[in-house]
Amino acid sequence: MQVQSSLVDWKKKPLMRDMSNAVKSISSNLLQLLVDSAYRFSEQPVMNEGNFQPVNEIGEAVSLKDIEGNVPEDFPEGTYIRNGPNPLDPTKAIADSIFGSTQYSYFEGHGMLHAVYFKKSNIGEWFISYKNKYLRFGKAAKDSANTSIFEHADRFFAIAENHQPYEINIDTLDTLGPYKINGDWEQPFTSHPKKVRSTGELVIMGINPEKPHYLVGVISPDGQRLLHKVDLKFEEGKFIHDIGVTTKYNIIMDYPLRFGISRTFLQKPIFENDMNGKSRIGVMPRFGNLESIRWFDVENHCSFHLFNCFEDGNEVVVRGCRTLGSVIPGPPHNVDKSNWYGRVFSPPDKNSEDFDPSLDGILFSRPYEWRLNLKSGIASEGYITSDDVAMDFPVINENFIGTRNKYGYTQVVDSVETSITGLFKYKMIAKLHFDIPDKENKFISVEYHALQEKQFCSGVQFIGKKNGRDEDDGWVITYVHDEGTNISQVYIIDAKRFSEEPIAKITLPQRVPWKFFLQVLISGF
């Protein structure tokens, strides 16, 4: 009771509150002076060059009139929105002090939304506009929310792995506040939740450097209730980026990309990928518990992004883009970065005299398939495209999530350009035909949509026709930036005439910078 009384008395004394605020202000100023005197800040050039350079907010939405070609009449109305890092101050990205040197990562850039709105007038004329806006949290926060954007129950959320999602207003791009499922979810939240098409439920996961290290959750179709939550009892923190679903199962990826603040006390890096570690994939009934998961040991890997998962007889099929190493945390300290980038992003030459399996090609990402036999307990696996081309950021027609599908779309890595800075650039888009073999080799058939010289894409997404009869009835949409002209455009490509010229190229009023973990949202389509 005495404690409660003291608190009430404190609230009644404005002088004491003013003194407290003054002390806080002085403490803040002293801390700033200490930082300014102890640290010397400098620019990290790669973060302030070309299309990696951040852009400003444009203000009110801008009408887009410069359109080459035509937006199809049956193209649906909606919003094409992309989330990505836009560093607030790249001129202070490196901090040197008596304690050592630290570098601000491009991955940490503050989240910025870029949205293109497709609306029709009453007489069927297209009105297309663009706007961008920083995500705002109401206070200084490390929750950059710069990795992904998703929809559930007609609400829209921006997210990065270190926090709960932030709800946004899709029309104004205003940040509304964190989404904690009415207080039932305090864990960080995956950047790639999956919606179960047959039920409308949203399957999520949360990774954490401290226990509990890995939780799986199922959110109700209306987004108001957490229907299920399970602690997978991981013994250490692991940075796992994606989760899969089939009609009946949740698919758990587990690979040895370890992370945790407490690792520093053991003189270990916060992030560390164990190239000699063990990987496994879990098949978990939708509302199962820890004991219900069937674990399959697979070849060690570090794969961030999945195409799709589905059931095929006794097997569960998992398709994704597989890498051997992790782009996080990047090159080891005090190595020749240009040499390291050149080796990890290039196709591995196993016949080379100095071939190093722990280095060469470990970030050369390729489409891959795991088949998990629930009856025999055996996993079979292998690459499904050739080693000539690196691909990542897979998407499909989202109406087929969790069920067998025929097509996938990816961004094709420009290994040479990426090797220069260590930041990904994509020179083409690929359409994968999962059920059609390539006549010249053992892999599947792949089509390519090539861009012109000095053009690179980001934010590839598939938009299906409302009354489409085939899985690929629709369009592929992407942001394209031309480094020669410094102009960004939105391309609309007919998915059935994939290799042909885009049917529409929409010029934007300013650049849309490259980003790393691509995730875009098509709202209303």
Side-chain angles (χ1 to χ4, degrees):
M1 294 297 294
Q2 181 62 41
V3 172
Q4 291 178 345
S5 176
S6 297
L7 289 175
V8 172
D9 290 343
W10 173 261
K11 292 178 181 178
K12 292 180 179 179
K13 298 179 179 179
L15 177 60
M16 296 179 70
R17 291 203 311 270
D18 292 343
M19 290 175 62
S20 174
N21 291 335
V23 169
K24 289 180 181 178
S25 177
I26 293 170
S27 299
S28 177
N29 291 337
L30 287 173
L31 178 60
Q32 187 61 51
L33 286 171
L34 175 62
V35 169
D36 290 342
S37 62
Y39 289 87
R40 184 179 70 257
F41 296 95
S42 58
E43 178 181 351
Q44 190 172 351
V46 68
M47 293 171 55
N48 208 24
E49 294 177 351
N51 202 38
F52 289 108
Q53 183 178 5
V55 296
N56 296 323
E57 290 183 334
I58 203 166
E60 295 300 317
V62 176
S63 178
L64 305 182
K65 303 293 186 181
D66 186 353
I67 302 174
E68 179 183 336
N70 294 288
V71 178
E73 290 186 8
D74 54 350
F75 191 79
E77 294 182 89
T79 305
Y80 173 43
I81 184 169
R82 200 213 73 172
N83 186 7
N86 199 77
L88 288 169
D89 193 352
T91 64
K92 294 183 178 180
I94 299 176
D96 295 301
S97 74
I98 59 173
F99 307 108
S101 177
T102 182
Q103 291 191 8
Y104 179 95
S105 166
Y106 190 74
F107 303 151
E108 299 175 276
H110 202 83
M112 176 177 274
L113 302 174
H114 300 263
V116 177
Y117 299 92
F118 293 85
K119 297 181 181 179
K120 270 187 175 179
S121 69
N122 293 333
I123 59 174
E125 291 182 337
W126 281 109
F127 179 78
I128 305 171
S129 61
Y130 164 86
K131 75 178 304 182
N132 68 333
K133 182 175 281 191
Y134 274 114
L135 287 148
R136 288 182 168 83
F137 314 110
K139 61 179 181 179
K142 189 65 173 175
D143 312 322
S144 52
N146 64 9
T147 304
S148 172
I149 186 164
F150 67 93
E151 172 274 333
H152 187 54
D154 294 324
R155 297 166 66 186
F156 305 91
F157 306 92
I159 182 65
E161 242 87 12
N162 64 334
H163 198 266
Q164 293 88 24
Y166 284 91
E167 186 172 3
I168 61 169
N169 181 312
I170 197 74
D171 296 316
T172 65
L173 303 186
D174 290 339
T175 307
L176 304 180
Y179 176 50
K180 298 184 178 181
I181 320 170
N182 289 321
D184 289 335
W185 188 269
E186 296 292 337
Q187 188 89 345
F189 198 103
T190 178
S191 292
H192 301 293
K194 295 297 189 301
K195 186 171 291 190
V196 183
R197 292 293 152 181
S198 58
T199 65
E201 296 156 346
L202 190 73
V203 178
I204 65 174
M205 69 170 187
I207 56 170
N208 201 328
E210 306 301 329
K211 288 188 176 181
H213 292 303
Y214 191 123
L215 296 182
V216 173
V218 181
I219 301 176
S220 62
D222 63 6
Q224 298 299 317
R225 294 168 294 136
L226 186 65
L227 302 178
H228 192 57
K229 181 167 69 174
V230 179
D231 182 355
L232 298 194
K233 303 293 185 183
F234 277 26
E235 291 300 316
E236 58 184 343
K238 296 182 179 179
F239 192 86
I240 296 169
H241 189 63
D242 208 347
I243 190 169
V245 295
T246 71
T247 302
K248 296 189 296 185
Y249 301 110
N250 310 320
I251 306 304
I252 314 299
M253 308 299 288
D254 181 12
Y255 42 77
L257 176 53
R258 301 182 175 98
F259 83 121
I261 302 298
S262 59
R263 291 172 55 84
T264 59
F265 299 119
L266 303 174
Q267 296 185 325
K268 295 181 179 180
I270 294 177
F271 285 90
E272 184 177 36
N273 181 50
D274 185 356
M275 295 288 294
N276 298 311
K278 294 183 179 180
S279 295
R280 59 181 183 166
I281 301 177
V283 179
M284 173 187 180
R286 179 78 66 244
F287 294 92
N289 56 22
L290 177 62
E291 289 71 28
S292 70
I293 302 176
R294 292 282 303 276
W295 289 105
F296 293 80
D297 292 333
V298 296
E299 293 184 22
N300 194 26
H301 67 99
C302 186
S303 304
F304 281 177
H305 299 117
L306 299 177
F307 279 99
N308 195 23
C309 308
F310 59 90
E311 300 151 34
D312 185 14
N314 294 325
E315 293 182 322
V316 169
V317 180
V318 180
R319 290 172 177 157
C321 288
R322 181 177 185 261
T323 58
L324 299 177
S326 170
V327 69
I328 299 174
H333 187 57
N334 292 332
V335 302
D336 180 347
K337 289 185 180 180
S338 61
N339 178 63
W340 192 86
Y341 290 146
R343 297 184 69 165
V344 298
F345 289 111
S346 299
D349 181 3
K350 296 182 180 179
N351 297 319
S352 173
E353 292 183 0
D354 63 345
F355 173 72
D356 182 351
S358 67
L359 180 65
D360 292 307
I362 63 171
L363 299 182
F364 191 84
S365 177
R366 291 168 57 197
Y368 198 84
E369 182 177 274
W370 295 268
R371 286 187 167 267
L372 315 174
N373 193 304
L374 298 175
K375 186 174 182 179
S376 68
I378 296 174
S380 57
E381 57 185 293
Y383 288 107
I384 56 177
T385 62
S386 72
D387 58 6
D388 297 330
V389 178
M391 307 180 197
D392 208 342
F393 299 111
V395 297
I396 66 169
N397 181 334
E398 293 188 351
N399 291 323
F400 289 81
I401 289 177
T403 61
R404 188 181 187 111
N405 67 303
K406 296 180 180 179
Y407 307 105
Y409 306 87
T410 67
Q411 297 172 193
V412 176
V413 181
D414 188 321
S415 298
V416 174
E417 287 285 334
T418 299
S419 297
I420 296 172
T421 62
L423 297 174
F424 286 103
K425 295 172 75 170
Y426 301 90
K427 62 181 178 180
M428 291 190 291
I429 309 169
K431 177 182 180 179
L432 282 64
H433 297 254
F434 293 121
D435 294 344
I436 300 177
D438 189 312
K439 295 179 181 179
E440 298 181 0
N441 54 45
K442 61 181 180 179
F443 301 112
I444 64 171
S445 178
V446 181
E447 284 184 84
Y448 296 100
H449 182 92
L451 302 174
Q452 296 177 12
E453 186 179 358
K454 295 185 178 181
Q455 289 185 341
F456 302 92
C457 65
S458 66
V460 170
Q461 191 73 12
F462 178 86
I463 302 173
K465 291 184 179 180
K466 287 188 175 180
N467 298 313
R469 292 186 296 178
D470 301 323
E471 182 185 331
D472 62 345
D473 266 347
W475 304 269
V476 172
I477 190 170
T478 185
Y479 286 101
V480 173
H481 182 72
D482 190 312
E483 293 190 337
T485 62
N486 202 31
I487 292 174
S488 291
Q489 296 178 304
V490 168
Y491 279 17
I492 300 175
I493 302 162
D494 188 328
K496 283 187 172 292
R497 295 154 48 196
F498 186 73
S499 61
E500 298 180 14
E501 274 288 297
I503 55 179
K505 298 179 182 180
I506 306 168
T507 299
L508 302 176
Q510 70 170 14
R511 294 183 299 107
V512 176
W514 313 128
K515 75 174 295 252
F516 53 101
F517 297 140
L518 254 310
Q519 183 71 10
V520 294
L521 171 70
I522 303 297
S523 161
F525 291 122

